[in-house]
mmCIF file of all heavy atoms in Angstrom:
data_model
loop_
_atom_site.group_PDB
_atom_site.id
_atom_site.type_symbol
_atom_site.label_atom_id
_atom_site.label_comp_id
_atom_site.label_asym_id
_atom_site.label_seq_id
_atom_site.Cartn_x
_atom_site.Cartn_y
_atom_site.Cartn_z
ATOM 1 N N GLU A 168 -9.716 -27.360 43.420
ATOM 2 C CA GLU A 168 -9.044 -26.591 44.486
ATOM 3 C C GLU A 168 -9.853 -26.605 45.743
ATOM 4 O O GLU A 168 -9.283 -26.540 46.897
ATOM 5 C CB GLU A 168 -8.801 -25.185 43.967
ATOM 6 C CG GLU A 168 -7.841 -24.328 44.716
ATOM 7 C CD GLU A 168 -7.533 -23.035 44.037
ATOM 8 O OE1 GLU A 168 -8.424 -22.195 43.983
ATOM 9 O OE2 GLU A 168 -6.345 -22.922 43.464
ATOM 10 N N ARG A 169 -11.160 -26.408 45.579
ATOM 11 C CA ARG A 169 -12.034 -26.341 46.826
ATOM 12 C C ARG A 169 -13.457 -26.707 46.479
ATOM 13 O O ARG A 169 -13.850 -26.733 45.284
ATOM 14 C CB ARG A 169 -11.966 -24.961 47.369
ATOM 15 C CG ARG A 169 -12.375 -23.850 46.386
ATOM 16 C CD ARG A 169 -12.285 -22.441 46.931
ATOM 17 N NE ARG A 169 -12.520 -21.385 45.917
ATOM 18 C CZ ARG A 169 -13.127 -20.249 46.260
ATOM 19 N NH1 ARG A 169 -13.455 -19.885 47.494
ATOM 20 N NH2 ARG A 169 -13.334 -19.322 45.260
ATOM 21 N N ILE A 170 -14.228 -26.985 47.533
ATOM 22 C CA ILE A 170 -15.628 -27.256 47.458
ATOM 23 C C ILE A 170 -16.339 -26.225 48.333
ATOM 24 O O ILE A 170 -15.974 -26.164 49.449
ATOM 25 C CB ILE A 170 -15.907 -28.783 47.802
ATOM 26 C CG1 ILE A 170 -15.520 -29.631 46.612
ATOM 27 C CG2 ILE A 170 -17.409 -28.908 48.124
ATOM 28 C CD1 ILE A 170 -15.739 -31.102 46.851
ATOM 29 N N VAL A 221 -20.426 -31.439 55.814
ATOM 30 C CA VAL A 221 -18.962 -31.143 55.581
ATOM 31 C C VAL A 221 -18.224 -32.431 55.721
ATOM 32 O O VAL A 221 -17.323 -32.855 54.905
ATOM 33 C CB VAL A 221 -18.474 -30.131 56.624
ATOM 34 C CG1 VAL A 221 -16.924 -30.017 56.585
ATOM 35 C CG2 VAL A 221 -19.029 -28.747 56.281
ATOM 36 N N LYS A 225 -16.134 -34.652 52.752
ATOM 37 C CA LYS A 225 -14.840 -35.044 52.956
ATOM 38 C C LYS A 225 -14.671 -36.598 52.652
ATOM 39 O O LYS A 225 -13.688 -36.990 51.999
ATOM 40 C CB LYS A 225 -14.276 -34.807 54.364
ATOM 41 C CG LYS A 225 -12.865 -35.183 54.653
ATOM 42 C CD LYS A 225 -12.881 -36.417 55.636
ATOM 43 C CE LYS A 225 -11.471 -36.770 56.028
ATOM 44 N NZ LYS A 225 -11.489 -38.030 56.891
ATOM 45 N N ILE A 230 -11.600 -35.422 49.734
ATOM 46 C CA ILE A 230 -10.998 -34.072 49.724
ATOM 47 C C ILE A 230 -10.599 -33.653 51.161
ATOM 48 O O ILE A 230 -11.252 -33.994 52.061
ATOM 49 C CB ILE A 230 -11.906 -33.130 49.067
ATOM 50 C CG1 ILE A 230 -11.205 -31.767 48.816
ATOM 51 C CG2 ILE A 230 -13.173 -32.901 49.829
ATOM 52 C CD1 ILE A 230 -12.010 -30.792 47.962
ATOM 53 N N SER A 231 -9.445 -32.974 51.292
ATOM 54 C CA SER A 231 -9.017 -32.687 52.570
ATOM 55 C C SER A 231 -9.979 -31.588 53.247
ATOM 56 O O SER A 231 -10.511 -30.777 52.507
ATOM 57 C CB SER A 231 -7.612 -32.083 52.510
ATOM 58 O OG SER A 231 -7.503 -31.026 51.667
ATOM 59 N N PRO A 232 -10.112 -31.662 54.588
ATOM 60 C CA PRO A 232 -11.120 -30.737 55.167
ATOM 61 C C PRO A 232 -10.894 -29.252 54.975
ATOM 62 O O PRO A 232 -11.835 -28.547 54.820
ATOM 63 C CB PRO A 232 -10.947 -31.110 56.699
ATOM 64 C CG PRO A 232 -10.476 -32.506 56.649
ATOM 65 C CD PRO A 232 -9.541 -32.567 55.428
ATOM 66 N N GLU A 233 -9.567 -28.836 54.861
ATOM 67 C CA GLU A 233 -9.378 -27.385 54.695
ATOM 68 C C GLU A 233 -9.743 -26.966 53.301
ATOM 69 O O GLU A 233 -9.775 -25.689 53.045
ATOM 70 C CB GLU A 233 -7.780 -27.167 54.866
ATOM 71 C CG GLU A 233 -6.865 -27.794 53.890
ATOM 72 C CD GLU A 233 -6.337 -29.164 54.312
ATOM 73 O OE1 GLU A 233 -7.051 -29.760 55.213
ATOM 74 O OE2 GLU A 233 -5.438 -29.712 53.699
ATOM 75 N N ARG A 234 -10.084 -27.816 52.369
ATOM 76 C CA ARG A 234 -10.543 -27.404 51.062
ATOM 77 C C ARG A 234 -12.100 -27.402 50.957
ATOM 78 O O ARG A 234 -12.605 -27.097 49.881
ATOM 79 C CB ARG A 234 -9.907 -28.248 49.989
ATOM 80 C CG ARG A 234 -8.402 -28.155 49.846
ATOM 81 C CD ARG A 234 -7.758 -29.303 49.163
ATOM 82 N NE ARG A 234 -8.167 -29.411 47.874
ATOM 83 C CZ ARG A 234 -8.053 -30.574 47.110
ATOM 84 N NH1 ARG A 234 -7.449 -31.592 47.599
ATOM 85 N NH2 ARG A 234 -8.366 -30.593 45.827
ATOM 86 N N ILE A 235 -12.726 -27.618 52.071
ATOM 87 C CA ILE A 235 -14.222 -27.536 52.146
ATOM 88 C C ILE A 235 -14.667 -26.330 52.859
ATOM 89 O O ILE A 235 -14.238 -26.092 53.972
ATOM 90 C CB ILE A 235 -14.775 -28.793 52.777
ATOM 91 C CG1 ILE A 235 -14.228 -30.064 52.131
ATOM 92 C CG2 ILE A 235 -16.285 -28.783 52.802
ATOM 93 C CD1 ILE A 235 -14.607 -31.343 52.950
ATOM 94 N N GLU A 236 -15.509 -25.519 52.188
ATOM 95 C CA GLU A 236 -15.938 -24.276 52.795
ATOM 96 C C GLU A 236 -17.463 -24.326 52.945
ATOM 97 O O GLU A 236 -18.162 -25.014 52.238
ATOM 98 C CB GLU A 236 -15.545 -23.114 51.891
ATOM 99 C CG GLU A 236 -14.016 -22.972 51.592
ATOM 100 C CD GLU A 236 -13.766 -21.966 50.497
ATOM 101 O OE1 GLU A 236 -14.577 -20.997 50.343
ATOM 102 O OE2 GLU A 236 -12.692 -22.102 49.826
ATOM 103 N N ARG A 311 -15.078 -29.791 62.162
ATOM 104 C CA ARG A 311 -13.728 -29.674 61.911
ATOM 105 C C ARG A 311 -12.845 -30.560 62.903
ATOM 106 O O ARG A 311 -11.886 -31.227 62.461
ATOM 107 C CB ARG A 311 -13.201 -28.293 61.920
ATOM 108 C CG ARG A 311 -13.947 -27.357 61.035
ATOM 109 C CD ARG A 311 -13.521 -27.485 59.539
ATOM 110 N NE ARG A 311 -14.204 -26.592 58.649
ATOM 111 C CZ ARG A 311 -14.127 -26.556 57.314
ATOM 112 N NH1 ARG A 311 -13.310 -27.513 56.786
ATOM 113 N NH2 ARG A 311 -14.860 -25.802 56.515
ATOM 114 N N MET A 314 -13.270 -34.254 62.062
ATOM 115 C CA MET A 314 -12.446 -34.690 60.946
ATOM 116 C C MET A 314 -10.924 -34.796 61.343
ATOM 117 O O MET A 314 -10.189 -35.700 60.823
ATOM 118 C CB MET A 314 -12.591 -33.808 59.739
ATOM 119 C CG MET A 314 -14.047 -33.916 59.145
ATOM 120 S SD MET A 314 -14.232 -32.941 57.647
ATOM 121 C CE MET A 314 -14.178 -31.261 58.315
#
Side-chain angles (χ1 to χ4, degrees):
E168 191 173 74
R169 57 182 176 149
I170 284 174
V221 168
K225 179 252 185 185
I230 188 169
S231 57
E233 65 271 13
R234 293 161 63 195
I235 305 171
E236 305 170 24
R311 302 285 178 186
M314 292 186 290

